[in-house]
Amino acid sequence: MSENECTLGDDPGTDGTATDHVSTGESLEVRYRDRSGVWRRLQFDPRPDGPGWDRHEEKWTGCHWRPVGRAVVTDLWWQTSVGGQ
């Protein structure tokens, strides 16, 4: 199998095996499947050249994560819930 080929898969490597975007050790990553069944990933990394965070938005192609957007975020806050869906 060449470097440009892959075996299509539904699993975007939730075990960490399909990471195209290299993040720092202090990143926040959220993976989710949208209503159409496509896996998506949001990743926030501290900006190396100033305050804030770099937000990377990606879509799982079945082979790798394809970038679909990015932005600089000035403030980041999150909350989690356990026990629900």
Side-chain angles (χ1 to χ4, degrees):
M1 181 179 299
S2 78
E3 183 178 323
N4 294 326
E5 296 178 48
C6 71
T7 303
L8 291 177
D10 185 45
D11 181 4
T14 53
D15 62 355
T17 59
T19 302
D20 291 345
H21 170 75
V22 179
S23 66
T24 68
E26 297 179 7
S27 66
L28 170 67
E29 181 178 304
V30 177
R31 295 181 188 192
Y32 63 95
R33 191 186 314 250
D34 65 18
R35 295 185 88 183
S36 70
V38 174
W39 278 99
R40 296 186 177 268
R41 174 168 74 176
L42 293 174
Q43 189 156 347
F44 298 88
D45 292 305
R47 292 183 49 82
D49 59 351
W53 300 72
D54 288 322
R55 179 191 52 82
H56 303 274
E57 183 178 354
E58 299 168 309
K59 176 180 177 179
W60 181 247
T61 67
C63 298
H64 63 275
W65 290 103
R66 180 179 61 83
V68 295
R70 68 180 293 181
V72 174
V73 177
T74 58
D75 295 294
L76 184 60
W77 180 89
W78 66 93
Q79 180 176 357
T80 61
S81 176
V82 179
Q85 281 197 7

